[in-house]
Amino acid sequence: MQFRRLYTTLSNSNHNPFFFYRNLTNPFAVFNPNPKFLSTPRILKNRVQRSIHVYKRFVSSFPAMAEGRRPTHVPIPPPETANKAELYRALEAAVGSPFSSDPLAPDPHPLIIVVSGPSGVGKDAVIKRLREVRENIHFVVTATTRGKRVGEVDGKDYFFMSKDKFLGMIERHELLEYALVYGDYKGIPKQQIRDHMAKGLDIVLRVDIQGAATLRRILRNSAVFVFLVAESEDALVKRLIDRKTETKETLLVRIATAREEVKHMEEFDYVVVNREGELENSVKLVESIIDAEKAKVRQRTVTI
């Protein structure tokens, strides 16, 4: 009653600046002094109906769940007695879409495999055998300024060239990496890598330790680095002697260099011990490394 009197007084006042309209509706004019409260069962019924309405709206927002998009019911025959083609069609009808023949896993990326190690560990022998047994792989031919050895073929074993021509490739930025090794230049042409990776082929690079360090700085973790090593220093020295291509001075240099190069082993991803007389095992291990890399979920991606 007091509220109704207060409202009547304020609405009839001409001096109240907060009331801009005099003809206000009295909210208490239709006040029901004897309200009827909903019973508990009726409240629950209303809440359930509202929940069902919200659920229907939620389901209809998904086409696959909506009433008009439900797959036609097709009985699925017993798998143990049903015809394979018939069962296949029934399962497609049950799930509401045809089964895709697209590969579930993407094709692996082409790899760059960097093979390195001290002189005399058998890098050339491993790569030559790998070339014979492995498909879809390109062995990069290195450019060099050194002279040809007996049996070597230009364009197959190396690109033999003059020092001036090699320096010209450096100026035109045509080499992925290059180095001065024992007085001769060696380098890897970029274009042959790009061309063969575009065909989906894996790339194998044979470089010395200095070249591998340079490639690691350039390619980082996008390439696979394999360190090839002999079973012992004793075996390594005997192999260098058996090559009969070194003078006593160069033998001493190569032995001293090999001792330093072995210290860089931990900078590589994999180590392959190429034991004397076990070439096949070494090649199989390199193949296993390539296969393992291609099976990785997170593939290496290379940009040259």
Side-chain angles (χ1 to χ4, degrees):
M1 181 63 70
Q2 291 178 354
F3 285 112
R4 294 179 65 183
R5 289 176 181 174
L6 176 62
Y7 177 84
T8 303
T9 302
L10 293 175
S11 63
N12 293 332
S13 173
N14 294 325
H15 305 289
N16 191 339
F18 296 101
F19 286 86
F20 298 99
Y21 302 98
R22 296 184 60 194
N23 298 325
L24 297 176
T25 303
N26 186 349
F28 299 100
V30 293
F31 178 75
N32 188 352
N34 298 311
K36 294 182 179 180
F37 295 97
L38 294 174
S39 62
T40 300
R42 190 172 180 182
I43 293 174
L44 293 175
K45 181 179 180 181
N46 289 343
R47 289 180 178 176
V48 170
Q49 289 177 343
R50 283 197 300 271
S51 299
I52 293 174
H53 177 69
V54 171
Y55 171 76
K56 286 182 177 180
R57 290 182 61 187
F58 172 77
V59 170
S60 64
S61 65
F62 294 90
M65 299 174 63
E67 187 67 28
R69 297 290 301 277
R70 288 178 181 172
T72 305
H73 175 70
V74 176
I76 300 176
E80 60 273 9
T81 58
N83 175 271
K84 183 178 179 179
E86 180 185 356
L87 178 60
Y88 185 91
R89 290 193 297 270
L91 291 171
E92 281 188 328
V95 301
S97 61
F99 299 122
S100 172
S101 59
D102 295 336
L104 294 177
D107 293 333
H109 297 172
L111 294 171
I112 290 184
I113 304 101
V114 179
V115 179
S116 187
S119 295
V121 297
K123 296 187 293 292
D124 289 334
V126 169
I127 288 178
K128 181 180 178 182
R129 183 57 181 156
L130 187 63
R131 189 198 300 265
E132 295 171 351
V133 300
R134 185 87 182 185
E135 296 181 350
N136 299 323
I137 198 166
H138 173 70
F139 298 85
V140 171
V141 180
T142 303
T144 182
T145 61
R146 76 163 174 81
K148 283 194 296 183
R149 293 173 181 166
V150 177
E152 290 182 330
V153 178
D154 185 28
K156 180 180 179 182
D157 298 298
Y158 289 94
F159 288 118
F160 297 100
M161 62 182 64
S162 66
K163 183 177 180 181
D164 290 339
K165 185 176 181 180
F166 194 97
L167 294 176
M169 295 182 70
I170 295 176
E171 292 178 0
R172 293 188 296 271
H173 304 285
E174 296 176 358
L175 299 174
L176 179 61
E177 70 87 27
Y178 66 92
L180 184 63
V181 182
Y182 303 117
D184 295 311
Y185 281 103
K186 288 184 179 181
I188 300 171
K190 291 180 180 178
Q191 194 56 48
Q192 66 170 306
I193 297 177
R194 295 181 181 133
D195 293 342
H196 288 86
M197 289 192 73
K199 299 176 184 177
L201 301 181
D202 297 322
I203 305 297
V204 173
L205 300 174
R206 176 209 177 280
V207 296
D208 55 35
I209 300 298
Q210 183 181 349
T214 302
L215 288 175
R216 176 65 89 178
R217 289 194 298 270
I218 296 171
L219 301 175
R220 299 184 182 274
N221 291 325
S222 63
V224 183
F225 289 80
V226 179
F227 190 86
L228 205 64
V229 68
E231 60 270 36
S232 66
E233 185 179 69
D234 171 73
L236 176 61
V237 172
K238 289 179 180 178
R239 291 184 194 181
L240 290 173
I241 294 173
D242 290 339
R243 293 201 323 191
K244 299 185 183 302
T245 58
E246 314 293 337
T247 65
K248 58 184 179 181
E249 290 79 14
T250 56
L251 275 173
L252 291 173
V253 171
R254 290 188 183 277
I255 292 169
T257 302
R259 285 181 170 179
E260 291 299 318
E261 289 176 334
V262 170
K263 297 177 182 178
H264 294 273
M265 187 186 303
E266 62 183 15
E267 300 169 7
F268 287 71
D269 300 313
Y270 300 92
V271 176
V272 174
V273 178
N274 185 29
R275 300 179 185 278
E276 186 69 30
E278 298 183 11
L279 178 62
E280 292 297 324
N281 291 337
S282 300
V283 173
K284 288 180 181 178
L285 184 52
V286 174
E287 285 198 278
S288 298
I289 291 170
I290 297 173
D291 292 336
E293 286 289 332
K294 285 187 168 294
K296 283 186 175 180
V297 174
R298 294 172 181 82
Q299 295 277 308
R300 299 176 191 258
T301 302
V302 185
T303 302
I304 300 297

